[in-house]
């Protein structure tokens, strides 16, 4: 046997999963009575909570220094920690308000990002707090979580234990999910409208934590994510993509991983990345996996580098249309369509050769939908092309075609090898129809559906008994 790689034994894996540091249980969180930042500029209430590590999260002994308690208004690398978070209430607090969860970037803290949104606080002169990409509406609850550069929202732990982490949650992810659950229960938020977003390191964490948890998040938005390998490990291992001449068996196995076979359907994913950003070197694997695995990816790119503020992205009109994408209106308890191979997409730098891609562009940023019916044996969805209002409107499509895959179905079921009848109607007239077969992943894809600015209704029904 080669000495270059030795697989972990099942005994070693079990020991790693159950072994935790000698930390005392310090949960649930405690309201920080010494917090001096209790009100946002618009009057919303800000609460700071502190807690220690739960043994169930399996943090290692070497992270003890990252659990030191810092005073409120922590900032910068020296004061990064795991044991505090902030909750900002809606302007008019109420049960069933949505929740937006924010993951900060490297070298920053939860308080830094809270400061951008709620206090108009700048850390550097070049920053534009009004357009920080993690702003959420004032009728939402907002949760600002903490991490450290060493942890990297879980990627540091995952990378260190790579062979053991495929489809297994690292300590940071367990902590984040437990915190979200505690906040959701305490504030009685709308469980069907929990969203996750993050910038840079936080974008990496958003993809890694968000993609496998479509049972928690309705939609996620990653801004200039600092790598996609974390997402790959948590989504079955879709990186690297197979070579063009790879054997068929290898490609089929990769598509199975990219599809997320055995996992819950992912949340809708919105991703802003730049071909001029070194952190986007792993972006091809995600974009290729989304195409082959039929994942709900809305993508915008341009020569904006590692931009963490919308003001640096908005000057590119095609990207500005995606800034207007209504990701915070998507609901977890409703089906969504996945659009692939759309005729109105620009040529992505991660799917095309260097001389053949567009310098800025979008994928799936114009498409909208509305659930009509989702019952046993019968499904219907309204689909249309939107023209968002932006400062400098680009040429927007009036019509387009796209392959449409149905995911997050509630009552309608797709069975492998079963036949289904589909129809499209527009303005009361049938425009197309056909039959499709449920595939090996129990996904149903209708090819080349004609779409327009006028709503199209797509209906799908079981074909006979």
């Amino acid at each position: 046997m080669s000495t270059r790689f030795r697989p972990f034994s099942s005994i070693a894996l079990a020991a790693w999963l159950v072994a935790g540091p000698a930390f005392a249980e310090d949960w649930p969180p405690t309201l920080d009575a010494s917090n001096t930042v209790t009100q946002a500029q618009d009057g919303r209430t800000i609460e700071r909570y502190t807690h220690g590590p739960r043994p169930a999260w399996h943090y290692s002994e070497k992270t003890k220094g990252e659990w030191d308690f810092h005073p409120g208004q922590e900032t910068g690398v020296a004061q990064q920690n795991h044991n505090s978070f902030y909750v900002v209430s809606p302007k008019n607090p109420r049960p069933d308000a949505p929740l937006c969860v924010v993951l900060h970037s490297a070298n920053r803290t939860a308080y830094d990002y809270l400061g951008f949104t709620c206090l108009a606080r700048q850390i550097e002169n070049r920053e534009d707090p009004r357009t920080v990409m993690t702003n959420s509406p004032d009728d939402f609850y907002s949760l600002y979580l903490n991490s450290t550069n060493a942890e990297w929202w879980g990627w540091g732990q995952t990378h260190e234990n790579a062979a053991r982490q495929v489809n297994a949650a690292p300590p940071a992810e367990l902590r984040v999910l437990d915190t979200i659950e505690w906040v959701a229960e305490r504030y009685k938020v709308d469980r069907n409208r929990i969203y996750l977003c993050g910038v840079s390191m936080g974008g990496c964490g958003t993809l890694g934590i968000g993609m496998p948890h479509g049972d928690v998040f309705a939609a996620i938005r990653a801004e200039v994510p600092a790598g996609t390998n974390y997402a790959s490990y948590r989504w079955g291992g879709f990186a690297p993509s197979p070579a063009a001449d790879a054997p068929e068996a290898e490609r089929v196995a990769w598509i199975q991983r990219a599809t997320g076979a055995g996992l819950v359907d992912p949340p809708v994913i919105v991703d802003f990345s730049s071909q001029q950003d070194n952190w986007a070197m792993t972006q091809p694997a995600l974009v290729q996996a989304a195409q082959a695995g039929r994942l709900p990816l809305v993508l915008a790119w341009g020569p904006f580098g590692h931009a963490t503020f919308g003001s640096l992205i908005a000057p590119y009109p095609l990207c500005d249309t995606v800034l207007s994408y209504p990701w915070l209106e998507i609901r977890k308890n409703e089906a969504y369509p996945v659009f692939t191979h759309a005729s109105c997409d620009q040529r992505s730098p991660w799917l095309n050769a260097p001389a053949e891609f567009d310098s800025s562009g979008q994928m799936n940023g114009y498409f909208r939908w509305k659930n009509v019916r989702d019952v046993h044996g019968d499904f219907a969805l309204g689909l249309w092309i939107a023209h968002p209002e932006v400062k400098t409107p680009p040429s927007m499509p009036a019509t387009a075609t796209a392959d449409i895959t149905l995911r997050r179905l509630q009552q309608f079921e797709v069975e492998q090898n079963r036949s289904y009848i589909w129809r499209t109607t527009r303005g009361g007239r049938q425009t197309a129809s056909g039959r499709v077969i449920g595939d090996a992943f129990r996904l149903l894809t209708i090819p080349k559906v004609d779409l327009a600015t006028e709503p199209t209704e797509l209906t799908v029904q079981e074909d006979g008994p």
Side-chain angles (χ1 to χ4, degrees), residues 293-308:
R294 288 152 294 170
L295 305 180
L297 178 64
V298 177
L299 178 66
W301 70 89
F304 45 75
H306 200 63
T308 56

Side-chain angles (χ1 to χ4, degrees), residues 312-327:
L312 302 175
I313 295 174
Y316 301 95
L318 290 165
C319 299
D320 203 11
T321 62
V322 182
L323 285 173
S324 300
Y325 188 80
W327 69 290

Side-chain angles (χ1 to χ4, degrees), residues 114-249:
L114 168 81
F116 289 140
T117 303
C118 297
L119 309 172
R121 176 178 177 267
Q122 286 179 285
I123 303 170
E124 301 175 17
N125 289 335
R126 63 184 176 84
E127 295 171 338
D128 184 358
R130 297 169 303 168
T131 65
V132 66
M133 299 285 282
T134 51
N135 282 346
S136 62
D138 63 12
D139 59 341
F140 277 49
Y141 282 100
S142 296
L143 169 60
Y144 292 85
L145 291 161
N146 268 305
S147 187
T148 64
N149 287 4
E151 181 180 71
W152 208 267
W153 294 110
W155 170 234
Q157 298 151 343
T158 300
H159 186 259
E160 183 178 329
N161 301 286
R164 293 172 282 183
Q165 289 293 340
V166 173
N167 292 350
E173 181 178 330
L174 298 174
R175 174 175 62 85
V176 167
L177 293 175
D178 272 1
T179 306
I180 293 170
E181 172 59 30
W182 185 84
V183 169
E185 177 61 28
R186 181 178 180 84
Y187 292 93
K188 307 303 179 188
V189 305
D190 185 343
R191 298 287 187 146
N192 291 310
R193 297 192 65 196
I194 298 177
Y195 307 91
L196 180 66
C197 64
V199 173
S200 189
M201 179 180 89
C204 172
T206 293
L207 295 174
I209 296 172
M211 283 182 62
H213 289 292
D215 55 341
V216 175
F217 304 109
I220 64 177
R221 190 168 87 163
E223 295 88 36
V224 290
T228 65
N229 283 337
Y230 185 13
S232 172
Y233 278 117
R234 290 298 286 115
W235 192 256
F238 59 70
S241 307
D245 59 351
E248 181 66 15

Side-chain angles (χ1 to χ4, degrees), residues 25 59 61 110 119 122 130 158 173 206 222-223 249 282 343 366 379 388 399 403 405:
E25 179 82 16
Y59 273 92
E61 290 281 356
L119 309 172
Q122 286 179 285
R130 297 169 303 168
T158 300
E173 181 178 330
T206 293
E223 295 88 36
T282 60
S343 62
Y366 294 112
F379 179 82
T399 61
D403 298 343
T405 303

Side-chain angles (χ1 to χ4, degrees), residues 396-412:
M396 299 189 193
T399 61
T401 61
D403 298 343
I404 294 178
T405 303
L406 307 179
R407 279 195 181 259
R408 200 184 255 166
L409 294 162
Q410 302 295 299
Q411 299 296 324
F412 187 80

